[in-house]
Structures are given as C-alpha cells and as structure tokens.
Amino acid sequence: TVLVQTPVTPSFRAAYLNNDEFDRRVAGLAPHVNFNGMIQLDGQRDFLDANHLAQPGVQMFNPALIDWLEAGGWLMPPAR
C-alpha cells in the first residue's frame, strides 16, 4: 500500500490548518507522499477546480508520480 496525496490549489490547501499533522499521521500508516508543493502548478491553468487537475496539471503530475513510484521500488521502469 502506498498513500498518495495529489495536488490541490494553494487556496484549498490553505483552508485547512492541520496539514502538517495530517501528513505526520498518514506517514505513520504506510509509505506516503504529498505532492502539494513538490511540483509547480498554476492554480488557474493547471486545475479544473480546487481539487481536480486539468490536462496541463495532469501532464506535470503524472511523470512526477511515476518517478516517485519507481524511485521507491513501487513501480518497475519500463523495459527498454
């Protein structure tokens, strides 16, 4: 099991005051990554709404997720 927290708009994330506590608690349950702040997304261009990525955001998020999964041994790189 791997827990992945996908990006949300900065305003959506800022609306919650316990983000750090949530990350600590989740990290104690299973391998966890929070992609908020890990990739540079534009709140207007890269999101359809507060918590759904638009296609430009998906095109930035997917490679970052794949890289993280491969680095952790959770996903095997494609055979070349």
Side-chain angles (χ1 to χ4, degrees):
T1 301
V2 177
L3 303 176
V4 176
Q5 192 171 354
T6 59
V8 295
T9 60
S11 59
F12 186 85
R13 183 157 171 80
Y16 293 90
L17 302 177
N18 63 343
N19 291 306
D20 292 336
E21 179 182 348
F22 177 83
D23 288 344
R24 281 192 302 277
R25 288 182 182 218
V26 169
L29 300 174
H32 167 253
V33 62
N34 180 347
F35 275 95
N36 287 289
M38 288 182 63
I39 53 178
Q40 297 302 311
L41 296 172
D42 180 272
Q44 298 295 315
R45 179 195 66 217
D46 297 325
F47 289 89
L48 291 174
D49 58 29
N51 58 351
H52 292 95
L53 291 169
Q55 191 60 40
V58 170
Q59 289 173 314
M60 294 172 65
F61 171 69
N62 282 355
L65 174 61
I66 290 168
D67 288 348
W68 186 85
L69 291 170
E70 286 177 349
W74 296 99
L75 181 67
M76 299 302 297
R80 298 189 184 201

